[in-house]
């Protein structure tokens, strides 16, 4: 300690890191309680800035930021945030929220564009393929829906192929409801036979609901596929038991 006394070193202000959840709550407080919209926007922007999106991200933070802008009647800013999120760090939840937003706004073409980007990013996602086809079906675009199903079943890898086949066959069967239309029965039979043929070629075991569905619409060979599938699974389990006993 010198003659002039202790040196006065200014204290550093501690850096406060807000977690995404805390940042969202803080932004809600600023927006609704303090009624400071600009402060709330700055809080969310700072929270997005500190997250290393190249390594991981928080979909909730992006969605909260986008909905905040939507509440301020800034639709362009909302879309820009969701588009940036999908471009930098795509996630299933981000695509679903963005598609749902555009669907509520009645922007069907934007929904189609988003589904195309979604499936380009995750072509193995059967739920996305099915949701896209169901959207077209609800719009009365049966040919578009069938084309989507055809494109989906041609994918080299799918996370739940049986769910896709069942959705495709349900779609074809649903077209039979109402007065008969020339050529519709042939289209239904063609779609169901195509699904059955792909099941036979890929040697995938058929689940009970899908098997009963194929049998109900009278597709030849459905029982054989189901029996052979069960036979393969039984033989595999039997060989496994023999190895254990040996």
């Amino acid at each position: 300690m010198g003659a002039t006394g202790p040196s006065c070193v200014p204290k550093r202000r501690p850096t406060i890191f807000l977690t995404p959840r805390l940042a969202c709550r803080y932004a809600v407080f600023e927006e609704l309680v303090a009624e400071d919209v600009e402060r709330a926007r700055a809080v969310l922007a700072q929270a997005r800035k500190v997250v290393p999106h190249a390594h991981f991200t928080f979909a909730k933070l992006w969605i909260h930021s986008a909905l905040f802008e939507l509440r301020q009647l800034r639709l362009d800013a909302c879309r820009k945030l969701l588009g940036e999120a999908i471009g930098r760090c795509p996630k299933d939840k981000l695509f679903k929220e963005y598609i749902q937003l555009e669907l509520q706004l009645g922007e069907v073409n934007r929904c189609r564009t988003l589904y195309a980007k979604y499936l380009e990013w995750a072509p193995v996602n059967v739920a996305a393929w099915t949701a896209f086809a169901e959207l077209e079906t609800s719009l009365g675009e049966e040919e578009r829906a069938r084309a989507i199903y055809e494109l989906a079943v041609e994918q080299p890898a799918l996370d739940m192929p049986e769910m896709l086949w069942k959705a495709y066959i349900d779609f074809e069967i649903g077209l039979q409801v109402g007065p008969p239309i020339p050529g519709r029965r042939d289209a239904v039979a063609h779609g169901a036979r195509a699904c059955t043929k792909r099941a036979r070629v890929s040697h995938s075991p058929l689940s009970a609901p899908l098997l009963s569905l194929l049998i109900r619409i009278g597709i030849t060979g459905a029982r054989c596929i189901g029996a052979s599938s069960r036979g393969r699974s039984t033989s595999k389990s039997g060989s496994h038991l023999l190895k254990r006993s040996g």
Side-chain angles (χ1 to χ4, degrees), residues 60 88 97 204 223 241:
K60 182 178 180 179
R88 294 180 61 184
E97 289 289 338
S204 299
R223 293 182 183 276
L241 291 174

Side-chain angles (χ1 to χ4, degrees), residues 14-128:
T15 302
I16 301 175
F17 174 74
L18 295 178
T19 63
R21 178 174 295 184
L22 184 57
C24 291
R25 292 182 178 180
Y26 186 18
V28 169
F29 169 80
E30 291 289 354
E31 178 189 1
L32 302 180
V33 180
E35 297 183 353
D36 191 341
V37 174
E38 293 302 324
R39 177 67 176 171
R41 183 177 289 115
V43 169
L44 293 173
Q46 180 63 23
R48 294 194 305 273
K49 185 178 179 181
V50 299
V51 175
H53 300 289
H55 303 284
F56 64 90
T57 190
F58 297 93
K60 182 178 180 179
L61 178 60
W62 288 104
I63 294 169
H64 188 95
S65 301
L67 294 180
F68 165 79
E69 296 296 349
L70 187 62
R71 288 194 296 272
Q72 311 310 316
L73 304 180
R74 300 181 64 200
L75 180 58
D76 291 340
C78 173
R79 284 172 170 163
K80 183 178 180 181
L81 280 168
L82 290 173
E84 181 184 355
I86 289 174
R88 294 180 61 184
C89 42
K91 296 185 73 172
D92 287 311
K93 190 173 182 180
L94 291 171
F95 278 106
K96 291 177 182 178
E97 289 289 338
Y98 198 176
I99 291 170
Q100 185 63 27
L101 171 65
E102 296 295 353
L103 192 59
Q104 291 175 352
L105 294 173
E107 297 287 347
V108 177
N109 289 330
R110 285 181 176 270
C111 290
R112 287 169 175 159
T113 302
L114 287 170
Y115 269 120
K117 292 184 179 297
Y118 189 5
L119 293 170
E120 182 181 358
W121 173 67
V124 300
N125 193 329
V126 168

Side-chain angles (χ1 to χ4, degrees), residues 158-173:
L158 294 167
D159 55 358
M160 294 183 294
E162 273 201 41
M163 296 298 294
L164 177 62
W165 293 331
K166 186 177 186 304
Y168 187 17
I169 295 173
D170 283 338
F171 163 76
E172 296 288 6
I173 291 177

Side-chain angles (χ1 to χ4, degrees), residues 190-226:
H190 172 72
R193 287 193 185 94
C195 294
T196 309
K197 183 179 179 180
R198 291 185 179 96
R200 184 186 294 111
V201 170
S202 61
H203 302 292
S204 299
L206 296 178
S207 62
L210 181 57
L211 180 61
S212 62
L213 185 62
L214 291 170
I215 294 172
R216 180 162 58 87
I217 61 179
I219 298 301
T220 306
R223 293 182 183 276
C224 298
I225 296 175

